[in-house]
Every structure is written in C-alpha cells, then in structure tokens.
Amino acid sequence: MMLLTGARPGEVLVLRWEDVNTQWKGICIRDKVQGTREIPATPYMLHLLATLPRRNEWIFSSPTTATGCLTEPNNPHTRACKAAGLEGLTLHGLRRSFSSLTEWLETPAGVVAQIQGR
C-alpha cells in the first residue's frame, strides 16, 4: 500500500476500514502535516484491501498485539524482502519509490505532493 500511495508507514498502520470509501474510491489518511487527506484508491488497491481479513476495525490488524493493529512491521517486511531478493528495501524506501515512479510517469509535482501529504 505504501508503494501504491506514497503514504508514510505510520499513516498506513493506523488505517481503519471506515477510512476506505469504496463508493467514491478514496482513502482518508491521517497525516502529521494536514490532519487528514483524501487520496484516490485505484481498483487494484481496493482489490488488495478486499483480500485482507477483517478481524477488527484496523485494516492492518494483528491478533497478537494488545491494540489489535500491526505496530512494528519491520521484521515481517525484512523477511518478505529477503525472500523476494530485495534486501535493503526499507518501509520508507517504498514511499520514496512511489515518488520516483511518479516522476517517471511525469505526474505534476503538486499532485504528488498532495497525495503524499507534503
């Protein structure tokens, strides 16, 4: 999700199912700069979210944490990257990759800044 939206790790971890608007295809992200921002959700993003289990109100839930949401994704992320042969790719690197991809697509910088909450 971070690669597809450019969101910060902390913004993704606190997403709730109520933040996803399937009718208008948007996601409400709580950020540290503006408070909240609404970003577009592609059909592919909505498809990926629909495959996640709905254990509680959190999109990225965890049955083993006291809060019920995933709090420290670094270890699973590192294991997944190692299995895929992508060692050294950080969570924040996914945000930077989104920015690089938008440059390649020649997306206007202002649009990218709004989506990323900069």
Side-chain angles (χ1 to χ4, degrees), residues 37-90:
R37 67 182 185 279
E38 190 78 25
I39 63 168
T42 64
Y44 180 64
M45 170 80 64
L46 294 173
H47 166 74
L48 291 175
L49 291 174
T51 65
L52 295 175
R54 290 187 179 235
R55 294 183 188 111
N56 55 30
E57 75 266 28
W58 305 103
I59 291 177
F60 298 101
S61 63
S62 172
T64 60
T65 63
T67 61
C69 71
L70 190 61
T71 56
E72 191 58 49
N74 289 323
N75 290 336
H77 171 75
T78 302
R79 285 194 307 271
C81 286
K82 186 174 183 177
L86 298 170
E87 292 183 60
L89 178 62
T90 64

Coordinates of all heavy atoms in Angstrom, one line a residue, residues 37-90:
R37 N -6.1 13.7 4.8 CA -6.2 14.0 3.4 C -6.9 12.8 2.7 O -6.8 11.7 3.2 CB -4.8 14.2 2.8 CG -3.9 13.0 2.8 CD -2.5 13.4 2.2 NE -1.6 12.2 2.1 CZ -0.9 11.7 3.0 NH1 -0.9 12.2 4.2 NH2 -0.2 10.6 2.8
E38 N -7.6 13.1 1.7 CA -8.3 12.1 0.9 C -7.5 11.8 -0.3 O -7.2 12.7 -1.1 CB -9.7 12.6 0.6 CG -10.6 11.5 0.0 CD -11.2 10.6 1.0 OE1 -11.4 11.0 2.2 OE2 -11.6 9.5 0.6
I39 N -7.2 10.5 -0.5 CA -6.4 10.2 -1.7 C -7.2 9.2 -2.5 O -8.0 8.5 -2.0 CB -5.0 9.6 -1.4 CG1 -5.1 8.3 -0.6 CG2 -4.2 10.6 -0.6 CD1 -3.9 7.5 -0.5
P40 N -7.0 9.2 -3.9 CA -7.7 8.2 -4.7 C -7.3 6.8 -4.5 O -6.1 6.6 -4.1 CB -7.4 8.7 -6.1 CG -6.1 9.5 -6.0 CD -6.1 10.0 -4.6
A41 N -8.2 5.9 -4.6 CA -7.9 4.4 -4.5 C -8.2 3.8 -5.8 O -9.3 3.8 -6.3 CB -8.7 3.8 -3.3
T42 N -7.2 3.2 -6.4 CA -7.4 2.5 -7.7 C -8.2 1.2 -7.5 O -8.2 0.7 -6.3 CB -6.0 2.2 -8.3 OG1 -5.3 1.3 -7.5 CG2 -5.2 3.5 -8.5
P43 N -8.8 0.7 -8.5 CA -9.4 -0.6 -8.4 C -8.5 -1.7 -7.9 O -8.9 -2.5 -7.1 CB -9.9 -0.9 -9.8 CG -10.1 0.5 -10.4 CD -9.0 1.3 -9.8
Y44 N -7.2 -1.6 -8.3 CA -6.3 -2.6 -7.8 C -6.0 -2.5 -6.3 O -6.0 -3.5 -5.6 CB -4.9 -2.5 -8.6 CG -3.9 -3.5 -8.2 CD1 -4.1 -4.8 -8.4 CD2 -2.7 -3.0 -7.6 CE1 -3.1 -5.7 -8.0 CE2 -1.8 -3.9 -7.2 CZ -2.0 -5.3 -7.4 OH -1.0 -6.2 -7.0
M45 N -5.9 -1.3 -5.8 CA -5.7 -1.1 -4.4 C -6.9 -1.6 -3.6 O -6.8 -2.3 -2.6 CB -5.6 0.4 -4.1 CG -5.6 0.8 -2.6 SD -4.1 0.5 -1.8 CE -3.0 1.6 -2.6
L46 N -8.1 -1.3 -4.1 CA -9.3 -1.8 -3.4 C -9.4 -3.3 -3.5 O -9.9 -3.9 -2.5 CB -10.6 -1.1 -4.1 CG -10.7 0.4 -3.9 CD1 -11.9 0.9 -4.7 CD2 -10.8 0.8 -2.4
H47 N -9.0 -3.9 -4.6 CA -8.9 -5.3 -4.7 C -8.0 -5.9 -3.6 O -8.3 -6.9 -2.9 CB -8.5 -5.8 -6.1 CG -8.1 -7.2 -6.2 ND1 -9.1 -8.2 -6.2 CD2 -6.9 -7.8 -6.3 CE1 -8.5 -9.4 -6.2 NE2 -7.2 -9.2 -6.3
L48 N -6.8 -5.3 -3.5 CA -5.8 -5.8 -2.5 C -6.4 -5.7 -1.1 O -6.3 -6.6 -0.3 CB -4.5 -5.1 -2.6 CG -3.7 -5.3 -3.8 CD1 -2.5 -4.4 -3.9 CD2 -3.3 -6.8 -3.9
L49 N -7.0 -4.6 -0.8 CA -7.6 -4.4 0.6 C -8.7 -5.4 0.8 O -8.9 -5.9 2.0 CB -8.1 -2.9 0.7 CG -7.0 -1.9 0.8 CD1 -7.7 -0.5 0.8 CD2 -6.1 -2.0 1.9
A50 N -9.5 -5.7 -0.2 CA -10.6 -6.6 0.0 C -10.2 -8.0 0.3 O -10.9 -8.8 0.9 CB -11.5 -6.6 -1.3
T51 N -8.9 -8.3 0.0 CA -8.4 -9.7 0.3 C -7.9 -9.8 1.8 O -7.6 -10.9 2.2 CB -7.2 -10.1 -0.6 OG1 -6.1 -9.2 -0.4 CG2 -7.7 -10.0 -2.1
L52 N -7.8 -8.7 2.5 CA -7.3 -8.7 3.9 C -8.4 -9.2 4.8 O -9.6 -8.9 4.6 CB -6.8 -7.4 4.3 CG -5.6 -6.8 3.5 CD1 -5.3 -5.4 4.0 CD2 -4.4 -7.7 3.7
P53 N -8.0 -9.9 5.9 CA -9.0 -10.4 6.9 C -9.6 -9.2 7.6 O -8.9 -8.2 7.9 CB -8.2 -11.3 7.8 CG -6.8 -10.8 7.7 CD -6.6 -10.3 6.3
R54 N -10.8 -9.2 8.0 CA -11.5 -8.2 8.8 C -11.7 -8.7 10.2 O -12.7 -9.1 10.6 CB -12.8 -7.8 8.2 CG -12.7 -7.0 6.9 CD -14.0 -6.5 6.4 NE -13.8 -5.8 5.2 CZ -14.3 -4.5 5.0 NH1 -14.9 -3.9 6.0 NH2 -14.1 -3.9 3.9
R55 N -10.6 -8.7 11.0 CA -10.6 -9.1 12.4 C -11.2 -8.1 13.3 O -11.8 -8.5 14.3 CB -9.2 -9.4 12.8 CG -8.5 -10.6 12.1 CD -7.1 -10.8 12.7 NE -6.4 -11.7 11.9 CZ -5.3 -11.4 11.2 NH1 -4.9 -10.2 11.1 NH2 -4.7 -12.4 10.5
N56 N -11.0 -6.8 13.0 CA -11.5 -5.7 13.9 C -11.5 -4.5 13.0 O -11.6 -4.6 11.8 CB -10.5 -5.6 15.1 CG -9.1 -5.4 14.7 OD1 -8.7 -4.9 13.6 ND2 -8.1 -5.9 15.5
E57 N -11.4 -3.3 13.6 CA -11.6 -2.1 12.9 C -10.3 -1.7 12.1 O -10.4 -0.8 11.2 CB -12.0 -0.9 13.8 CG -10.9 -0.4 14.6 CD -10.8 -1.0 16.0 OE1 -11.2 -2.1 16.2 OE2 -10.3 -0.3 16.9
W58 N -9.2 -2.3 12.4 CA -7.9 -1.9 11.7 C -7.8 -2.7 10.4 O -8.0 -3.9 10.3 CB -6.8 -2.3 12.6 CG -6.8 -1.6 13.9 CD1 -7.2 -2.2 15.1 CD2 -6.6 -0.3 14.3 NE1 -7.2 -1.3 16.1 CE2 -6.8 -0.1 15.6 CE3 -6.3 0.9 13.5 CZ2 -6.7 1.1 16.3 CZ3 -6.1 2.1 14.2 CH2 -6.3 2.2 15.5
I59 N -7.3 -2.0 9.4 CA -7.0 -2.7 8.1 C -5.9 -3.6 8.3 O -5.9 -4.8 7.8 CB -6.8 -1.6 7.0 CG1 -8.1 -0.9 6.6 CG2 -6.2 -2.3 5.7 CD1 -7.9 0.2 5.6
F60 N -4.8 -3.1 8.9 CA -3.6 -4.0 9.1 C -3.7 -4.4 10.6 O -2.9 -4.0 11.4 CB -2.3 -3.2 8.7 CG -2.3 -2.9 7.3 CD1 -2.6 -1.6 6.9 CD2 -2.0 -3.8 6.3 CE1 -2.6 -1.2 5.5 CE2 -2.0 -3.5 5.0 CZ -2.3 -2.2 4.6
S61 N -4.5 -5.4 10.8 CA -4.8 -5.9 12.1 C -3.7 -6.9 12.5 O -3.0 -7.5 11.7 CB -6.2 -6.5 12.2 OG -6.3 -7.6 11.4
S62 N -3.6 -7.2 13.8 CA -2.7 -8.2 14.3 C -3.4 -8.9 15.5 O -3.8 -8.2 16.5 CB -1.4 -7.6 14.8 OG -0.6 -8.5 15.5
P63 N -3.6 -10.2 15.4 CA -4.2 -10.9 16.5 C -3.3 -11.0 17.8 O -3.8 -11.4 18.8 CB -4.5 -12.3 15.9 CG -3.6 -12.4 14.8 CD -3.3 -11.1 14.3
T64 N -2.0 -10.7 17.6 CA -1.1 -10.8 18.7 C -0.7 -9.6 19.5 O 0.0 -9.6 20.5 CB 0.2 -11.5 18.2 OG1 0.8 -10.6 17.3 CG2 -0.1 -12.9 17.6
T65 N -1.2 -8.4 19.0 CA -0.9 -7.2 19.8 C -2.0 -6.8 20.7 O -3.2 -7.1 20.4 CB -0.6 -6.0 18.8 OG1 -1.8 -5.7 18.0 CG2 0.6 -6.4 17.9
A66 N -1.7 -6.0 21.7 CA -2.7 -5.5 22.6 C -3.7 -4.6 22.0 O -4.9 -4.5 22.3 CB -2.0 -4.9 23.8
T67 N -3.2 -3.8 21.0 CA -4.1 -2.8 20.4 C -4.9 -3.4 19.3 O -5.9 -2.8 18.9 CB -3.2 -1.6 19.7 OG1 -2.4 -2.2 18.8 CG2 -2.4 -0.9 20.8
G68 N -4.5 -4.5 18.8 CA -5.3 -5.1 17.7 C -4.8 -4.7 16.3 O -5.3 -5.2 15.3
C69 N -3.9 -3.8 16.3 CA -3.3 -3.4 15.0 C -1.9 -3.7 14.9 O -1.2 -3.7 15.9 CB -3.6 -1.9 14.7 SG -2.7 -0.7 15.6
L70 N -1.4 -3.8 13.7 CA 0.0 -4.0 13.5 C 0.8 -2.8 13.9 O 0.5 -1.7 13.5 CB 0.3 -4.3 12.0 CG 1.6 -4.8 11.5 CD1 1.9 -6.2 12.2 CD2 1.6 -5.0 10.0
T71 N 1.8 -3.0 14.7 CA 2.6 -1.9 15.2 C 4.0 -1.8 14.8 O 4.6 -0.7 14.7 CB 2.5 -1.8 16.8 OG1 3.1 -3.1 17.3 CG2 1.2 -1.6 17.3
E72 N 4.6 -2.9 14.5 CA 6.0 -3.0 14.2 C 6.2 -3.9 13.0 O 6.5 -5.1 13.1 CB 6.9 -3.4 15.3 CG 8.4 -3.3 15.2 CD 8.8 -1.8 14.9 OE1 8.4 -0.9 15.6 OE2 9.6 -1.7 13.9
P73 N 6.0 -3.4 11.7 CA 6.1 -4.3 10.6 C 7.5 -4.5 10.0 O 7.6 -5.2 9.0 CB 5.2 -3.5 9.6 CG 5.5 -2.1 9.9 CD 5.6 -2.1 11.4
N74 N 8.5 -4.0 10.7 CA 9.8 -4.1 10.1 C 10.3 -5.5 10.0 O 10.9 -5.9 8.9 CB 10.8 -3.3 10.9 CG 10.6 -1.8 10.8 OD1 10.3 -1.3 9.7 ND2 10.8 -1.1 11.8
N75 N 10.1 -6.4 11.0 CA 10.6 -7.8 10.9 C 9.9 -8.5 9.7 O 10.5 -9.2 8.9 CB 10.4 -8.5 12.2 CG 11.4 -8.0 13.2 OD1 12.5 -7.4 12.9 ND2 11.1 -8.1 14.5
P76 N 8.5 -8.5 9.7 CA 7.9 -9.2 8.5 C 8.3 -8.6 7.2 O 8.5 -9.3 6.2 CB 6.4 -9.0 8.8 CG 6.3 -8.7 10.2 CD 7.6 -8.0 10.6
H77 N 8.5 -7.3 7.1 CA 8.9 -6.6 5.9 C 10.3 -7.1 5.5 O 10.5 -7.4 4.3 CB 8.9 -5.1 6.0 CG 9.5 -4.4 4.9 ND1 8.8 -4.2 3.7 CD2 10.7 -3.8 4.8 CE1 9.6 -3.6 2.9 NE2 10.7 -3.3 3.5
T78 N 11.2 -7.2 6.4 CA 12.5 -7.6 6.1 C 12.6 -9.0 5.6 O 13.3 -9.4 4.7 CB 13.4 -7.4 7.4 OG1 13.4 -6.1 7.8 CG2 14.9 -7.9 7.1
R79 N 11.8 -9.9 6.3 CA 11.7 -11.3 5.9 C 11.1 -11.4 4.4 O 11.6 -12.2 3.6 CB 10.9 -12.1 6.8 CG 11.6 -12.4 8.1 CD 10.9 -13.5 8.9 NE 9.5 -13.3 9.2 CZ 9.0 -12.6 10.2 NH1 9.8 -12.1 11.1 NH2 7.7 -12.4 10.3
A80 N 10.1 -10.7 4.2 CA 9.5 -10.7 2.8 C 10.5 -10.2 1.8 O 10.6 -10.8 0.7 CB 8.2 -9.9 2.8
C81 N 11.2 -9.1 2.1 CA 12.1 -8.6 1.1 C 13.3 -9.6 0.9 O 13.7 -9.8 -0.3 CB 12.7 -7.3 1.6 SG 11.5 -5.9 1.4
K82 N 13.7 -10.2 1.9 CA 14.8 -11.2 1.8 C 14.3 -12.4 0.9 O 15.1 -12.8 0.0 CB 15.2 -11.7 3.2 CG 16.4 -12.7 3.1 CD 16.9 -13.0 4.5 CE 18.1 -13.9 4.4 NZ 18.7 -14.2 5.7
A83 N 13.1 -12.9 1.1 CA 12.6 -14.0 0.3 C 12.4 -13.6 -1.2 O 12.6 -14.4 -2.0 CB 11.2 -14.4 0.9
A84 N 12.2 -12.3 -1.4 CA 12.0 -11.8 -2.8 C 13.3 -11.3 -3.4 O 13.3 -10.9 -4.6 CB 11.0 -10.6 -2.8
G85 N 14.4 -11.4 -2.6 CA 15.7 -11.0 -3.1 C 15.8 -9.5 -3.2 O 16.6 -8.9 -4.0
L86 N 15.1 -8.8 -2.3 CA 15.1 -7.3 -2.3 C 15.7 -6.8 -1.0 O 15.2 -5.8 -0.4 CB 13.7 -6.7 -2.4 CG 13.0 -7.1 -3.7 CD1 11.6 -6.7 -3.7 CD2 13.7 -6.4 -4.9
E87 N 16.8 -7.4 -0.5 CA 17.4 -7.0 0.8 C 17.8 -5.5 0.7 O 18.3 -5.0 -0.3 CB 18.6 -7.9 1.1 CG 18.1 -9.3 1.4 CD 19.3 -10.2 1.9 OE1 19.9 -9.8 2.9 OE2 19.5 -11.2 1.2
G88 N 17.6 -4.8 1.8 CA 17.9 -3.4 1.9 C 16.8 -2.4 1.6 O 16.9 -1.2 1.8
L89 N 15.6 -2.9 1.2 CA 14.5 -2.1 0.9 C 13.8 -1.8 2.2 O 13.2 -2.7 2.8 CB 13.5 -2.8 -0.1 CG 12.3 -2.0 -0.5 CD1 12.6 -0.7 -1.1 CD2 11.4 -2.8 -1.4
T90 N 13.7 -0.5 2.6 CA 13.1 -0.2 3.8 C 11.6 0.2 3.6 O 11.2 0.4 2.4 CB 13.8 1.1 4.5 OG1 13.6 2.2 3.6 CG2 15.2 0.8 4.7

